Structures are given as structure tokens and as C-alpha cells.
Amino acid sequence: MDVFIGGRGSGKTISLLEYSSITRTPIVVYSEEQCTQLKNFAKSLCIDIPEPVSFHSYPNKSKGNDNFRNGVLIENVDLLLKSIFGKVNAVTVDSSSIKIHNMDNTGGTNE
């Protein structure tokens, strides 16, 4: 799993849009409003992506849809987790299952 990490304006979303365009993998977001924003942003950059889907509509849209056979990409996973659980204090990730792309190139942590 690729993880794009960086502050606002660092290029995380553009990298995810390009990844989606190349792999034809849909992006899951936390709200319908974010779906619209993401589609408009991709269009403004002339990046052709599969239709984004909100977390809440994912179960209905993914059934029998070939676009989801290779998995999904998630935009703003922190906001998605917050929309599901409320406050999330910590998470763990198996480092052997991820490839980190630090978009800030600071080498530090982002708070």
C-alpha cells in the first residue's frame, strides 16, 4: 500500500489523482461534497479518473462494479476515520505493508 504523507498543498491529492488515473482505481472519500470537489479538481488538472465514491455510498456502488476489482484509493484517510469513529487518538500500520511517499521532504513528523 502506498501512503502519501505531507502538509496542505504538498501534492498528496495530485499524486493520488495521478495514481487513480494510471491504475483506473476509484478514490473513496468521506463525503459526497468531497466527491464533487475531487472530481472538479481532477477536471481542472485535466486528469481523467474513475468516478470517486463517498464512504457511505461505497457498499451500493461497489457491488458488481469492475472498477473496484483492484481495490480502492482513499483520500484523507484521517478524515474518513474521523467520520466513522469520531475522535481517533492513534493507529498502527505494519511497516512491511506500506511504501511511504513523503511529500514534504522534511523528514520530520507532521502534527
Side-chain angles (χ1 to χ4, degrees):
M1 171 175 57
D2 289 277
V3 178
F4 299 93
I5 297 174
R8 290 185 55 79
S10 63
K12 300 178 309 291
T13 299
I14 293 172
S15 294
L16 195 67
L17 290 171
E18 290 170 343
Y19 192 111
S20 175
S21 179
I22 291 166
T23 63
R24 305 309 301 160
T25 306
I27 299 173
V28 175
V29 297
Y30 66 92
S31 71
E32 291 297 331
E33 180 182 338
Q34 195 184 23
C35 279
T36 302
Q37 292 171 350
L38 196 62
K39 283 192 294 189
N40 290 339
F41 188 45
K43 187 176 181 179
S44 76
L45 298 170
C46 299
I47 299 175
D48 178 40
I49 60 169
E51 185 74 18
V53 61
S54 76
F55 168 74
H56 299 291
S57 64
Y58 173 77
N60 295 329
K61 292 189 177 180
S62 63
K63 289 180 185 170
N65 187 332
D66 283 344
N67 282 340
F68 293 93
R69 71 181 174 276
N70 293 327
V72 297
L73 307 176
I74 299 175
E75 169 72 349
N76 293 323
V77 69
D78 53 331
L79 297 176
L80 177 63
L81 290 173
K82 184 178 179 182
S83 75
I84 297 168
F85 301 108
K87 185 177 180 182
V88 177
N89 295 320
V91 299
T92 64
V93 178
D94 178 359
S95 64
S96 68
S97 68
I98 64 172
K99 178 180 178 186
I100 295 176
H101 305 268
N102 186 344
M103 308 306 289
D104 285 334
N105 293 319
T106 62
T109 60
N110 297 321
E111 298 188 46

